[in-house]
Structures are given as C-alpha cells and as structure tokens.
Amino acid sequence: MTRRDFDPTTVVPDGRSPAKARLFDAALPGPYRGSVNGETLPTEVTILTYGNDEPGTGPVLHIHPYDEIFVVQQGRARFFVGDEVIDAEAGDVVLGPAALPHRFINLGPGRLQTLDIHLSPKWIQTNLD
C-alpha cells in the first residue's frame, strides 16, 4: 500500500541530529526497567517501560499534567482512569488524559509488559496512594 499523507516538500528539517538512548536493561530487576526523557533525544515525548509477573499488582494511583499513552505489549491489564475501568490486552493502546488519576494492574496469567508514552519532555508525576 502506498501512502501519501503529506507533501514532503512542505516540511523542512529543524536542525536536530539523529539521536539514540537506551530505554532498558532486560537484566535489571523490578517493574520499572528504564525511561528516556524526551529532552535526552531531544523531543517532546518521554518513554517508560513497565512490567511485572504478579497478577493483581501494578503502579500506584497517580496523576500527570499531560496525556499518557499505554501500549500493552504482553499480557492483560485493567486500567483505572478517572471513573472508567478499561480492560486491555497485548496489542491494545489506552489513553490516560492529562489530570485524570490513573493506575493499572496485571490481570494475568503471566507477565504484563507495557510501553508508557508521556507527552512531555520530562517524566512529571504525583502519586496519590
């Protein structure tokens, strides 16, 4: 399939060089294995990786001043976002809008692995639990 979503002649490079940052070390223990602040690359998006093998566990209730997008890469999760409950599985994407408290848990069986995209150049969070 050929895509032509925009005219390439209408965009101009902004002068940034390509960049690389290491997101995680798979040998590290614990659910949070790494993050890359957007300012490191430099961009306006911060990326985290989260995973656990224990059904019923997950991050504490927290809030951000920006949107967060969760990509479920492995397993199943239950997201609590504001007053909504959303079940998601590998391949699903969930939005946590700015200023809405949220958390999620591993529904099991097995590992839950997510890629969490923070629409901010820095990871900014207030835990509520």
Side-chain angles (χ1 to χ4, degrees):
M1 174 173 91
T2 301
R3 291 188 60 158
R4 296 199 177 272
D5 297 331
F6 70 99
D7 179 354
T9 64
T10 65
V11 294
V12 178
D14 64 10
R16 289 179 297 158
S17 297
K20 174 185 171 184
R22 185 152 178 85
L23 178 58
F24 68 93
D25 179 346
L28 292 177
Y32 290 101
R33 292 190 175 164
S35 65
V36 174
N37 279 340
E39 61 194 6
T40 301
L41 289 177
T43 187
E44 295 297 313
V45 175
T46 295
I47 301 171
L48 286 74
T49 181
Y50 176 90
N52 78 56
D53 297 302
E54 298 177 46
T57 63
V60 299
L61 185 68
H62 61 276
I63 193 167
H64 308 285
Y66 49 76
D67 291 346
E68 182 175 7
I69 298 168
F70 305 93
V71 180
V72 180
Q73 297 180 301
Q74 181 180 347
R76 299 179 330 120
R78 176 161 293 147
F79 290 85
F80 303 89
V81 183
D83 294 331
E84 300 290 323
V85 176
I86 301 168
D87 287 348
E89 62 185 26
D92 289 339
V93 177
V94 175
L95 170 66
L100 278 184
H102 57 274
R103 67 182 182 92
F104 59 90
I105 59 170
N106 180 347
L107 284 179
R111 183 162 186 80
L112 169 65
Q113 187 67 53
T114 67
L115 188 70
D116 307 338
I117 303 166
H118 293 236
L119 300 182
S120 169
K122 287 185 175 182
W123 181 7
I124 303 167
Q125 176 172 310
T126 296
N127 291 347
L128 302 174
D129 280 345

